[in-house]
Amino acid sequence: MSPEITSWSILLTPLLVSLIIFSLGRKHNALSGWLSIAGAFVNLGLSILFFVNYNTDLQRITLNFNWFTLGKDSYIFSFLIDHYTLTMLFVVNVVALLVQLFSLEYMHHDRDLFRYFAYLNLFVFSMLGIVLTDSLFVMYAFWELVGLSSYLLIGFWYESHAPNQAAKKAFLMNRIGDAGFLLGIFLAFYLLKTNSLTAISHLDFTQINPTLLTATGLLLFCGCIGKSAQFPLHTWLPDAMEGPTPVSALIHAATMVAAGIFMLVRIHPVLTVDAKIVIAVIGTITMLMGAFYAIFQTDIKKTLAYSTVSQLGLMVVAIALSINGEAAFGHLFSHAFFKAGLFLCAGAIIHALHQTGEVFDAQDMRLMGGLAKKTPIIFVCFTICSAALMGLPFTTGAETKFSILKVAFDFALQQHSQWTWVFPFAIILGISMTAFYSIRQILFIFVGNFRNEKVNISTIQERNIFLNLPIILLALASIIGLGTILTKVFLVEIPVVSTWKYDAISEYFAIGLGLLTGWLTYQQFGIKMPHINTMDSFYDSIFVKSTLSFAHFLHTFDSKIVDNSVNYLAKLQVVFAQIIAWFDRSFIDGIPNGSAAIVGSVGRVTQHFQNGKVQWYFVAAFLGILSMIIFMAF
C-alpha cells in the first residue's frame, strides 16, 4: 500500500467510524462500541504496517496535495512521515483502542453510548491530523478540532452542572493559548515565508531578526501552554476529570495534552536561546507546582491530573534544554502507557465501588483503603504504573526520566553559569515529590482497612475482562519486557555527553527520599490532608472577582449614565421636534398659506366688479378717475 493511501486511511478511518455511529443513533448503542473498536483495530494495524515499511533513520517523506487556490497561490495539504509521526501513530491508536475496549464495560449503562463513541473517534481523528500534517496552518485546523472534541467529551454528561462548567473552562482557557498560537503561525509565515514544518527544519535562521524569531517561538509556545496545561493555563486539566474516566485516560496519555508537546518538538528549530530559557522557566514552574498540588489531593483522579501537569512540565523543560527534543519525546512515549494505565486503574476502582449500589463519592481516597485484597489485579497494575511514574528501576519511566536528567545536567555543564543548575536540581526535586505523592496514593487506596462504613467490602469485585485486559497490557508496556521492546523499537537512542558523575545517584536518592517521607507521613498522619489553595483561588481573587466587579460597574454605568443620557436626549429631541413642527406650521407653511388666503380674499372682493353690468363699470371708472385726480392733487 502506498504511503499516500495509508496516510489518508489512517486519518479518515476514525472520522468515517464517527459518522457511521452518529447515523446509527441511540437504537444501536451496543453496536457503536464494537464498530469503534473495529475501526481502532484497523487503524492500529495500518500504523504498525506503516512503521515497518517506512521507519528508517534517514527517511522523511513529505506528501503534498493541493488544498485550495487563491489567485496564483496554491495552498497545500501535506503529510509529513518521519520517526516522530510513526511513533505517535502507534501511541495514539494503541491507547485509543485500549480506552475504547475499557469503555465497553465502564460506559455500558449510558443511554447515549453512541454519542460517546462518536465523540471519541472524532477526538482520535483530530489528534491524528496534528500528528500527520506538515503544515502549521493545517495543524491549527486540527488543533481546534481537538479543542472541540475535548469540550464534547469533558461535558459528555451535560445534564450535570460540574461537567458543563469543566468543559467550558477547558474550551475557554485553551482559546487563550490558541490565540497566541495563531499569531505565532502568522508571524512564522511572515518571517520564514513558509508554513511547512519540513521547510522550516532546513532554514538558515542566522539571517532572520532574532527578536522577531524569539517572539515567534514564544507565540507558538502559547499553543502548548493551553493544550499541555502549562502555567498559568494549567487549571483546566484537573477540572476536566468531571468527564468519563476513559476520556481522562485518553486526554492525559495520547491526545490533547500530548498535542502541545508534540507540536513543541516539531517547531524546535524555531526556538532561539532566549525563547528556550523562558520555556524552561515556565516548564519548571509547572512541574513543581503540579507535583506540589498532587500531594494535597484527596480525589484519585485529580491526584493523577496534577501528576500529568507536573510530567508535562518536565517534558517542556527537557525540550527547552535539549538540542532536538528527543528526551522529551521519549518520556512522552513512556508516559502515554503508564499514565493511561493509572487512569484506567482509577476507573476500574471507581467502577467496582459503584457496583456496590451505594451512593457516595467513589473518587475520594479517604473512603478507600484495603483494596489490594479485593482488587489484586488492579493493585498490581496500579503499582507498576506508579513505579514507572516515579522512575523506579526496571520501568520505562526510569530510562526516559534518566535521559531528561542527563540533558539537564549536560545543559548546566555547557552553559558555565551557576544559575543554570536550577533546572537539574528542580527536576530532582520534582522526581522526589512524584515519589512522595505516588506512594501515598498507593497506601491510601490499597493498604490498611477499608474506611467507608456505607459499603460492604465483600461486595467489591474486579472480574471483568474488558476492564482488566487494557490495564494489564498498559502495565506490561511500562516495565522491562514488553516495555523495553517498545522503547527500543520506537525510540531513537538519545546521545548523552554529560560528564556529571552523580546523575544516577541523584535520581535514585530523590526517589528514595520521596518514598521514605511519603511512607513516614502516612504512618504519622494517616489520611489527614490539609487544605491547600490552588491557582483557581488565585484566579478567582485576581481575575474572576475583578472581572465581575468591573462588569458590575459597567452595568451600573450603562443603566444609570448611558441609559439616562439616552432617555433625556430622546425627550429633548421630542421637545425640539415639537418646536420645529410649530415653526413649520406657523412660518414655513403659514406664509404661503397666508398669502394664498389674502389673495383669495382680494379675489373674492374684486370679483364683484366683474358682474357684467355696464352701469357698474361706469361708476367704477368714475371712482377710479376721481381717485387719481385726488392722489395727484395732493
Side-chain angles (χ1 to χ4, degrees):
M1 188 182 293
S2 67
E4 292 89 350
I5 295 176
T6 307
S7 299
W8 282 111
S9 299
I10 292 173
L11 176 63
L12 296 179
T13 296
L15 179 61
L16 179 62
V17 171
S18 179
L19 294 175
I20 292 173
I21 292 173
F22 256 127
S23 64
L24 292 175
R26 185 177 290 121
K27 292 181 179 179
H28 298 86
N29 256 351
L31 180 61
S32 64
W34 291 108
L35 282 174
S36 186
I37 289 173
F41 263 117
V42 170
N43 246 22
L44 179 58
L46 290 173
S47 300
I48 294 174
L49 182 65
F50 214 178
F51 186 90
V52 171
N53 290 337
Y54 298 102
N55 182 51
T56 65
D57 293 339
L58 300 177
Q59 198 167 24
R60 184 185 180 105
I61 306 172
T62 305
L63 309 173
N64 295 322
F65 307 92
N66 191 24
W67 189 10
F68 61 90
T69 301
L70 289 177
K72 297 181 179 179
D73 297 324
S74 295
Y75 293 85
I76 305 300
F77 188 106
S78 52
F79 290 132
L80 172 58
I81 312 301
D82 63 358
H83 173 73
Y84 294 124
T85 306
L86 297 172
T87 302
M88 284 302 296
L89 288 178
F90 176 79
V91 171
V92 172
N93 284 303
V94 164
V95 175
L97 173 61
L98 295 178
V99 164
Q100 291 175 73
L101 189 63
F102 185 90
S103 299
L104 281 179
E105 170 61 23
Y106 192 87
M107 299 290 294
H108 77 278
H109 62 283
D110 200 286
R111 61 189 295 269
D112 286 329
L113 196 61
F114 80 100
R115 188 163 52 86
Y116 170 81
F117 281 108
Y119 291 164
L120 215 58
N121 279 276
L122 180 63
F123 202 8
V124 174
F125 161 72
S126 306
M127 184 63 193
L128 292 176
I130 293 174
V131 170
L132 283 165
T133 186
D134 184 46
S135 167
L136 279 172
F137 284 144
V138 177
M139 179 181 285
Y140 185 77
F142 284 107
W143 196 268
E144 292 305 298
L145 279 174
V146 166
L148 171 64
S149 306
S150 65
Y151 171 79
L152 295 172
L153 284 168
I154 294 169
F156 177 73
W157 289 315
Y158 59 86
E159 299 92 345
S160 302
H161 177 72
N164 269 330
Q165 293 298 105
K168 287 189 288 187
K169 183 176 183 179
F171 189 82
L172 292 174
M173 295 195 75
N174 271 274
R175 297 294 71 72
I176 297 171
D178 293 354
F181 185 38
L182 184 60
L183 291 175
I185 292 174
F186 289 151
L187 187 55
F189 187 74
Y190 169 76
L191 284 179
L192 310 178
K193 311 304 180 188
T194 181
N195 59 55
S196 168
L197 294 167
T198 300
I200 288 173
S201 66
H202 293 97
L203 288 177
D204 179 12
F205 295 99
T206 58
Q207 305 302 318
I208 300 172
N209 185 311
T211 302
L212 289 177
L213 192 60
T214 298
T216 301
L218 291 177
L219 284 171
L220 291 172
F221 175 61
C222 286
C224 178
I225 291 177
K227 279 288 185 290
S228 293
Q230 297 298 290
F231 174 84
L233 300 180
H234 63 282
T235 58
W236 70 266
L237 192 56
D239 286 11
M241 299 303 96
E242 296 295 340
T245 302
V247 171
S248 302
L250 194 58
I251 289 176
H252 286 251
T255 51
M256 189 167 180
V257 298
I261 304 300
F262 180 78
M263 181 272 292
L264 208 55
V265 172
R266 281 291 195 215
I267 60 122
H268 193 272
V270 179
L271 303 177
T272 63
V273 174
D274 292 339
K276 286 182 177 180
I277 294 300
V278 174
I279 292 171
V281 170
I282 291 177
T284 302
I285 293 172
T286 306
M287 173 185 63
L288 296 179
M289 183 178 293
F292 179 75
Y293 287 147
I295 291 173
F296 297 98
Q297 299 304 307
T298 56
D299 185 297
I300 184 173
K301 289 174 64 177
K302 286 195 174 183
T303 303
L304 297 176
Y306 278 114
S307 168
T308 300
V309 171
S310 180
Q311 296 302 302
L312 293 169
L314 177 63
M315 297 176 209
V316 167
V317 174
I319 292 173
L321 301 185
S322 64
I323 299 173
N324 53 18
E326 286 286 353
F329 187 75
H331 194 55
L332 178 65
F333 178 84
S334 64
H335 179 266
F337 296 110
F338 63 70
K339 186 52 64 72
L342 286 170
F343 268 106
L344 293 188
C345 284
I349 293 169
I350 295 168
H351 184 269
L353 294 175
H354 277 152
Q355 295 307 303
T356 61
E358 298 292 338
V359 179
F360 66 99
D361 186 356
Q363 298 179 194
D364 192 338
M365 295 185 293
R366 293 170 298 183
L367 300 179
M368 299 181 190
L371 293 179
K373 295 179 180 179
K374 298 302 298 181
T375 58
I377 296 175
I378 299 173
F379 167 62
V380 171
C381 293
F382 192 95
T383 303
I384 291 172
C385 293
S386 293
L389 172 63
M390 290 184 272
L392 287 176
F394 309 112
T395 65
T396 55
E399 184 176 351
T400 54
K401 277 195 173 183
F402 188 53
S403 299
I404 292 176
L405 191 57
K406 278 186 171 292
V407 165
F409 278 119
D410 183 33
F411 176 82
L413 288 167
Q414 289 181 347
Q415 295 300 311
H416 303 292
S417 180
Q418 295 297 322
W419 73 268
T420 57
W421 286 91
V422 168
F423 297 119
F425 286 111
I427 291 174
I428 290 173
L429 177 59
I431 290 172
S432 184
M433 294 169 74
T434 301
F436 180 89
Y437 67 71
S438 295
I439 189 63
R440 283 180 60 84
Q441 188 175 34
I442 293 172
L443 295 172
F444 275 20
I445 299 169
F446 297 105
V447 178
N449 297 319
F450 189 64
R451 294 180 291 273
N452 190 347
E453 297 178 355
K454 294 183 178 180
V455 176
N456 181 2
I457 192 172
S458 62
T459 61
I460 299 175
Q461 56 183 345
E462 61 172 1
R463 302 185 189 92
N464 191 291
I465 188 171
F466 294 118
L467 298 181
N468 292 340
L469 182 59
I471 63 176
I472 291 171
L473 292 175
L474 289 167
L476 291 175
S478 302
I479 57 174
I480 56 172
L482 178 59
T484 304
I485 294 171
L486 291 174
T487 303
K488 296 298 182 185
V489 170
F490 286 97
L491 296 183
V492 176
E493 186 175 352
I494 305 165
V496 178
V497 296
S498 174
T499 57
W500 180 255
K501 298 179 180 179
Y502 307 108
D503 40 20
I505 297 175
S506 302
E507 180 182 7
Y508 294 132
F509 175 77
I511 295 172
L513 181 63
L515 289 172
L516 179 61
T517 53
W519 172 265
L520 291 176
T521 54
Y522 175 77
Q523 294 296 321
Q524 180 69 27
F525 302 107
I527 62 169
K528 295 180 181 179
M529 298 294 293
H531 176 72
I532 185 75
N533 288 325
T534 63
M535 286 293 291
D536 279 335
S537 301
F538 173 77
Y539 286 148
D540 285 340
S541 301
I542 303 300
F543 297 109
V544 176
K545 290 182 180 178
S546 60
T547 302
L548 290 175
S549 299
F550 185 60
H552 178 71
F553 165 75
L554 291 178
H555 172 71
T556 303
F557 181 81
D558 184 60
S559 59
K560 301 295 184 183
I561 306 299
V562 177
D563 286 352
N564 287 339
S565 298
V566 170
N567 292 336
Y568 289 135
L569 183 60
K571 292 178 181 178
L572 183 62
Q573 287 177 330
V574 171
V575 173
F576 185 68
Q578 291 174 343
I579 293 173
I580 293 297
W582 172 83
F583 181 81
D584 187 56
R585 290 191 305 270
S586 301
F587 292 94
I588 304 300
D589 290 340
I591 291 174
N593 291 339
S595 300
I598 292 171
V599 171
S601 299
V602 171
R604 284 191 295 273
V605 172
T606 58
Q607 72 179 353
H608 297 292
F609 295 109
Q610 302 294 328
N611 54 13
K613 296 179 179 180
V614 177
Q615 301 93 314
W616 177 252
Y617 294 157
F618 280 119
V619 172
F622 174 75
L623 291 175
I625 293 171
L626 183 62
S627 299
M628 291 178 63
I629 293 171
I630 294 171
F631 176 75
M632 293 174 66
F634 290 96

